[in-house]
């Protein structure tokens, strides 16, 4: 078996037992990447020193395993572009807290993956380094903005990966590529050294082959960071302890099926709900605050914060000047500037932040009655290449179902819950829990994954 | 519901100036259209009753996050690191074409 | 031609002397840095992913200054982003405070009336630009050592009525900041910067003028007076022609002592303020504010008042000893001991001011007081000696004697001086005076 198809857990176990060496693991991975990355374009940069680095830390917790890192995480000495030519030649002299923690734990930053430039998008098509293809079906898109990370994992060009979510950017590509994607609570994982998109919702998180892999990575990523004033002092449990549990007594609220866009998906998700019930949970359809407003809230807040966060890219201290921004970046910066400008801030920005409060209150109400909430990850399967052209708000509409939980900051996980045999495309189940309750999403996601065969790695066991 | 604004090229030009984004005439037209569309969607927010609803700028509920007044050399750059990616440098300085005054 | 009254408000920026910067752990020492760009990090250099974390001491010191200036404190406050593009502003925005500053509604007394403080807020400083020509091209060199240094901004109401009052206010503020030991306010280095908002009100109305001219780049009190004087004249001329001076920002040229127009802006600044999402809000309790208030030292004006009451010290003599807390404590020790020894305190302080006695901090107080006694000790001298000297003086200055006897009585001082000099020792001057008067009138 090619070692690149291993899960993170299998790779760690194998290295521990010396079933194979780091050389062999990296070799298989490099071969796969060499064969397929030129078509899939999941990776923008590969770290040539990887295996050398790996051997030095083979006795650490993560044993020198290679990870694929979304290219909006600053990695010291390794090119970081955020998929924009503005940063084409940028080699950071420092690392993000997340990659530093993973490196300290023994992982190797093996490669930087493609994304929608500046994380602006839901298809990875705004990357200035070409689009990434969906390894499940090369005529289709992988989703975004963490499309490169999801594709790397789905195509077994990576053992596991790291992405980031502002409004769906972990869960949506994970769903489109048939992988697991975990978005931690906002403030659970440090944003220091991650190219800022929307500061008030950005959440780094793992995109992996199994829920167990996500739990392992989260253990090393989560925690308070003195360098990030928005991280919580809440203790970090060992997330792997929440695996292998049943769901007895768990009350699940099922959201959004009353929306017209989702009517056609009900038949795909009924079986998923049945599985959850068979594991001991009770599931009930619920009424929630219309998610369409979340699109507007997110659009305004995000673009405002983006226009501010991208003001530092002037080409003076690093990178190239602002004429290098791509069209989507220009659009977002300018719209954000507009909604923050004199005379409009109240009408747009402040109003959006008030509606945001309504979503917080709505979720609080729902979590008063239910332990977790579920919904589809996406209004449909992955889109074909070319389907998104010309749609100004494509991304926001695609992330419709994920934006409410993103702007509120809730933890959530996406797991594959259906595969179309003809197209080989997937649907994802989005599982949300109250703030700081990653344990619940891991428990439910893991239980569901093990009780079904949609996960293409687990079903090989 | 208040009518959403129709954004003009002139407005786009003004915003582009504020945002330091170079735009061509053609781009201004396209952006004006894109903005108008986006704002039409965003204007839906006016439908929502937000009377007495406070704004949320910070979902964590955190307050008073400060640090002690101490120098942390571990995180500081050397001069070389600070200038490592500079487009132009000279004697330890970053170099830019001369600007007369602040915007 | 109607007369005009000055309507002036001042905005002062002062750097705080914390050990580290406002939002990161870089060293705060831009003025003595041996090299440019050696005190930077991802945060203050505006690298991707840099995040700010506020310096607690800088906040405490801001509150302290506010309390010392009788300000109210906003129990809930926050930091906001202020957006504009300039090469010395690495993030493309400055973290500052917009609508909820830490302190507001304070005041400070001057000899020409009270000046109200509108607000005091905390923000970060920018980097520094050096203009130069490099290979024939006009460039600016940028140094970010100063980027992120905590900066306190104090804004007054337009209560200032004269240039001298403006100067007095500026000096008092500077002295207070130094006294509280929170800033050095070295104006030459840029550790304290002044901006003046200047307009004129016709004396026939109480209404505030409908325009104001902002004068920037004033870095000494002398220049402040000059700028105000120049603007007063310039604006008067315009007003005399029944026109209104343009609302604008002007620079100050110290070489010629004049203000000059900077490029007029077509529209007002749009800083697009919004609360910084990276910095959770600040929430103080009344108890915490009280605790900070309790750490306030006795302020200079309070010390002066108390010394007047306790030691009968004339404020003129007290003032120079209230520049620093250490100096106050030291002087207090001296005064206590002087009182015990029944030494005249005002005279003692006056002698120290005039450098007749060395009262350097740490010197033995006993020695200081002994010096004082010695300084004013009058020697024993017999009248015969005095009379002999006086005769000598009279013989040496016959013309002056005649002139004195003809009515120029002020020459007595001349004779006293001559006599004292010849005597060579300290003698009670009244003795000499009496003896001379007797001798000269005979």
């Amino acid at each position: 078996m090619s070692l690149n198809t291993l899960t993170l857990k299998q790779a760690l176990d194998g290295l521990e037992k010396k079933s194979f060496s780091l050389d062999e693991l990296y070799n298989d991975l490099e071969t796969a990447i060499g064969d397929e990355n030129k078509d899939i374009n999941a990776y923008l940069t590969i770290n040539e020193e990887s295996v050398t680095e790996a051997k030095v830390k083979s006795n650490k917790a993560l044993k020198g395993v290679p990870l694929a890192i979304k290219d909006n995480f600053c990695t010291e000495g390794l090119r970081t572009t955020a998929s924009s030519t503005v940063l084409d030649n940028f080699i950071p002299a420092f690392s993000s807290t997340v990659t530093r923690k993973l490196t300290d734990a023994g992982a190797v930053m093996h490669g930087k993956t493609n994304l929608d430039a500046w994380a602006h998008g839901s298809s990875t098509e705004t990357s200035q380094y070409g689009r990434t293809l969906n390894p499940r079906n090369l005529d289709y898109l992988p989703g975004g903005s963490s499309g490169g990370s999801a594709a790397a994992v789905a195509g077994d060009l990576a053992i596991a990966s790291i992405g980031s979510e502002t409004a769906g950017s972990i869960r949506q590509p994970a769903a489109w590529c048939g992988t697991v994607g975990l978005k931690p609570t906002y403030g659970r994982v440090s944003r220091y050294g991650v190219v800022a998109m929307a500061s008030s919702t950005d959440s780094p998180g793992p995109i992996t082959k199994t829920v167990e892999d996500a739990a392992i990575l989260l253990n090393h990523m989560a925690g308070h960071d003195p360098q990030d004033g928005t991280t919580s002092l809440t203790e970090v449990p060992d997330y792997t302890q929440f695996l292998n549990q049943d769901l007895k007594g768990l009350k699940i609220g099922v959201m959004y099926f009353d929306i017209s866009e989702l009517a056609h998906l009900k038949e795909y998700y009924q079986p998923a709900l049945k599985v959850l019930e068979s594991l001991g949970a009770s599931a009930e359809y619920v009424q929630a605050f219309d998610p369409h407003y979340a699109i507007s809230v997110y659009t305004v807040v995000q673009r405002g914060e983006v226009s501010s966060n991208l003001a530092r890219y002037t080409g003076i201290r690093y990178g190239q000047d602002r004429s290098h921004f791509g069209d989507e970046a220009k659009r977002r910066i300018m719209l954000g500037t507009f909604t923050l400008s004199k005379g409009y801030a109240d009408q747009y920005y402040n109003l959006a932040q008030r509606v945001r409060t309504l979503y917080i209150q709505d979720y609080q109400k729902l979590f008063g009655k239910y332990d977790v909430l579920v919904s589809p990850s996406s209004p449909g399967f992955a889109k074909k290449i070319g389907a998104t052209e010309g749609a100004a708000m494509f991304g926001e509409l695609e992330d419709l179902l994920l934006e409410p939980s993103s702007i509120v900051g809730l933890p959530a996980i996406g797991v594959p819950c259906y595969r179309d045999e003809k197209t080989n495309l997937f649907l994802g189940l989005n599982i949300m829990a109250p703030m700081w309750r990653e344990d619940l999403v891991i428990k439910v996601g893991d239980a569901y994954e093990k009780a079904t065969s949609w996960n293409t790695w687990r079903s090989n066991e | 519901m208040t009518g959403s604004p129709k954004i003009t090229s002139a407005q786009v030009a003004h915003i582009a100036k504020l945002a330091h984004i170079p735009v061509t005439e053609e781009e201004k037209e396209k952006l004006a259209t894109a903005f108008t569309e986006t704002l039409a969607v965003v204007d839906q927010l006016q439908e929502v009753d937000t009377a007495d609803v406070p704004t949320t700028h910070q979902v964590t509920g955190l307050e008073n996050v400060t640090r002690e007044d101490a120098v942390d050399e571990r995180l500081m750059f050397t001069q070389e690191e600070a200038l490592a990616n500079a487009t132009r440098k000279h004697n330890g300085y970053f170099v830019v074409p001369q600007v007369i005054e602040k915007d | 031609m109607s007369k005009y009254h000055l309507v002036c408000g001042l905005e002062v920026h002062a750097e705080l002397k914390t050990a580290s910067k406002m939002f990161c752990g870089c060293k705060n020492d831009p003025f003595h840095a041996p090299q440019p760009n050696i005190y930077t990090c991802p945060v203050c250099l505006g690298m991707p992913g840099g995040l700010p974390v506020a310096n607690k001491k800088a906040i405490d010191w801001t509150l302290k200054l506010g309390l010392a200036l009788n300000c109210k404190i906003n129990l809930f406050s926050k930091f906001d982003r202020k957006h504009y593009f300039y090469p010395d502003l690495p993030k493309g925005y400055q973290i500052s405070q917009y609508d909820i500053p830490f302190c507001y509604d304070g005041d400070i007394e001057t000899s020409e009336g009270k000046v109200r403080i509108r607000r005091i807020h905390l923000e970060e400083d920018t980097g520094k630009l050096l203009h130069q020509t490099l290979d024939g091209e006009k460039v600016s060199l940028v140094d970010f050592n100063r980027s992120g240094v905590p900066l306190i901004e104090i804004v007054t109401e337009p209560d200032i009525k004269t240039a001298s009052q403006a100067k007095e206010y500026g000096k008092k503020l500077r002295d207070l900041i130094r006294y509280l030991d929170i800033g050095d306010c070295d104006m030459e280095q840029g550790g304290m910067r002044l901006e003046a908002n200047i307009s004129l009100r016709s004396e026939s109305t109480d209404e505030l003028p409908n325009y104001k001219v902002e004068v920037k780049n004033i870095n000494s009190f002398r220049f402040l007076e000059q700028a105000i004087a120049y603007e007063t004249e310039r604006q008067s001329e315009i007003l005399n022609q029944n026109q209104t001076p343009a609302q604008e920002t002007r620079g100050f040229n110290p070489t010629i002592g004049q203000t000059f127009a900077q490029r007029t802006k077509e529209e007002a600044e749009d800083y697009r303020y919004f609360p910084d999402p990276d910095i959770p809000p600040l929430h103080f309790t009344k108890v915490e504010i009280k605790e900070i208030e309790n750490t306030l030292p006795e302020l200079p004006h309070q010390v002066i008042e108390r010394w007047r009451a306790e030691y009968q010290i004339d404020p003129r003599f007290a003032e120079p000893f209230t520049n620093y807390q250490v100096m106050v404590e030291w002087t207090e020790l001296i005064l206590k001991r002087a009182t015990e020894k029944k030494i005249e305190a005002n005279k003692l302080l006056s002698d120290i001011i005039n450098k007749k006695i060395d009262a350097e901090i740490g010197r033995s107080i006993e020695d200081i007081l002994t010096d004082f006694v010695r300084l004013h000790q009058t020697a024993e001298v017999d009248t015969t000696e005095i009379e002999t000297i006086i005769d000598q003086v009279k013989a040496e200055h016959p013309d002056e004697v005649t002139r004195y006897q003809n009515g120029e009585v002020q020459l007595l001082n001349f004779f006293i001086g001559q006599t004292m000099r010849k005597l060579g020792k300290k003698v009670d001057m009244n003795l000499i005076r009496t003896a001379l008067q007797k001798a000269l009138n005979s």
Side-chain angles (χ1 to χ4, degrees), chain B residues 17-18 20 58 62-64 66-67 69-72 75-77 79 82 88 90 92 94 96 98 101-103, chain C residues 19-21 24-25 36-37 40 54-56 85-86 88 137-142 269 277 280-283:
Chain B
K17 209 161 125 222
L18 274 182
H20 271 224
Q58 181 56 247
L62 287 167
E63 279 183 342
N64 298 337
T66 58
R67 38 170 273 275
D69 180 32
V71 176
D72 190 347
L75 299 167
M76 284 172 66
F77 284 142
Q79 190 191 72
R88 284 177 73 181
H90 177 74
F94 294 90
V96 297
Q98 196 164 116
E101 56 206 299
K102 295 188 196 248
D103 266 7
Chain C
S20 61
K21 291 187 177 180
C24 64
N37 293 305
T40 70
N55 183 326
K56 182 171 196 306
F85 286 93
Y86 204 65
D88 66 3
E137 188 199 342
K138 276 207 171 130
V139 296
S140 298
L141 304 180
V142 198
E269 282 295 357
L282 288 318
H283 208 150

Side-chain angles (χ1 to χ4, degrees), chain A residues 14-339:
Chain A
L15 288 167
E16 172 81 30
K17 291 193 216 123
K18 300 210 195 313
S19 313
F20 46 82
S21 67
L22 279 168
D23 273 314
E24 288 170 309
L25 176 62
Y26 276 83
N27 207 42
D28 282 357
L29 199 55
E30 295 295 353
T31 308
I33 293 172
D35 285 342
E36 297 177 49
N37 192 56
K38 54 186 174 311
D39 295 318
I40 294 180
N41 195 33
Y43 285 100
L44 300 181
T45 304
I46 297 286
N47 177 3
E48 307 291 339
E49 311 297 319
S50 287
V51 69
T52 321
E53 227 182 279
K55 289 181 186 164
V56 176
K57 35 176 73 170
S58 55
N59 58 334
K60 296 201 167 169
L62 291 176
K63 304 201 185 314
V65 295
L67 293 179
I69 309 293
K70 186 175 179 181
D71 206 18
N72 60 348
F73 286 76
C74 283
T75 41
E76 186 174 343
L78 192 57
R79 189 176 89 139
T80 301
T81 67
S83 286
S84 171
T85 56
V86 170
L87 292 179
D88 186 53
N89 52 0
F90 178 59
I91 300 179
F94 71 107
S95 280
S96 66
T97 296
V98 164
T99 54
R100 184 181 49 77
K101 282 171 91 150
L102 289 167
T103 306
D104 286 349
V108 173
M109 307 300 105
H110 181 226
K112 308 302 289 297
T113 59
N114 201 13
L115 57 147
D116 279 293
W118 308 104
H120 297 167
S122 305
S123 65
T124 311
E125 291 179 293
T126 65
S127 164
Q128 288 176 284
Y129 295 96
R131 60 162 65 96
T132 296
L133 303 182
N134 189 328
R136 304 293 192 179
N137 185 327
L138 298 180
D139 289 334
Y140 288 80
L141 297 164
S145 61
S146 311
S149 284
V153 167
D156 283 315
L157 301 184
I159 301 298
S161 77
I162 302 299
S164 67
E165 173 158 334
T166 307
S169 291
I170 286 178
R171 292 175 284 167
Q172 188 254 34
W176 282 20
C177 290
T179 71
V180 172
L182 193 156
K183 182 198 96 64
T185 310
Y186 174 83
R188 179 80 285 186
V189 179
S190 171
R191 294 179 293 118
Y192 183 85
V194 183
V195 175
M197 204 257 214
S199 314
S200 67
T201 78
D202 287 349
S203 302
I207 296 178
T208 54
K209 299 180 183 179
T210 64
V211 174
E212 180 169 23
D213 286 357
I216 294 171
L217 285 181
L218 187 61
N219 274 353
H220 295 285
M221 293 170 72
H224 176 250
D225 182 9
Q227 263 60 252
D228 179 348
T230 60
T231 53
S232 167
L233 287 157
T234 315
E235 216 183 289
V236 180
D238 173 5
Y239 291 110
T240 60
Q241 69 181 288
F242 305 113
L243 304 164
N244 304 313
Q245 318 242 314
D246 62 62
L247 307 181
K248 280 214 239 319
L250 197 77
K251 297 201 286 291
I252 303 180
V254 183
M255 296 173 78
Y256 299 145
F257 281 98
D258 45 353
I259 299 170
S260 54
E261 284 100 323
L262 298 192
H264 68 291
L265 291 180
K266 231 175 180 172
E267 58 171 291
Y268 298 109
Y269 283 87
Q270 300 275 34
L273 299 178
K274 289 257 166 7
V275 170
L276 292 171
E277 281 171 334
S278 74
L279 291 167
S282 59
E284 213 170 79
Y285 288 98
V286 301
Q287 268 266 295
F289 188 34
D290 189 341
H292 286 92
Y293 295 116
I295 298 178
S296 303
V297 171
Y298 175 68
T299 302
V300 171
V301 172
Q302 177 253 86
R303 280 160 174 65
E305 292 178 5
V306 156
S307 71
S308 176
N309 288 326
L310 296 191
R312 64 188 63 195
Y313 300 99
T314 56
I316 293 173
R317 289 153 287 111
Y318 54 89
Q320 308 199 86
D321 65 61
R322 295 169 81 74
S323 65
H324 290 266
F325 277 124
D327 286 342
E328 184 61 26
K330 283 189 184 174
R331 261 199 291 273
R332 296 198 184 201
I333 291 170
M334 291 183 39
L335 193 81
T337 306
F338 175 69
T339 56

Side-chain angles (χ1 to χ4, degrees), chain C residues 4-31:
Chain C
Y4 302 108
H5 290 297
L6 175 71
V7 176
C8 173
L10 284 183
E11 276 176 37
V12 176
H13 285 89
E15 286 187 358
L16 297 180
K17 55 191 225 183
T18 51
S20 61
K21 291 187 177 180
M22 184 64 225
F23 294 109
C24 64
C26 282
K27 188 165 177 181
N28 173 9
D29 191 20
F31 303 143

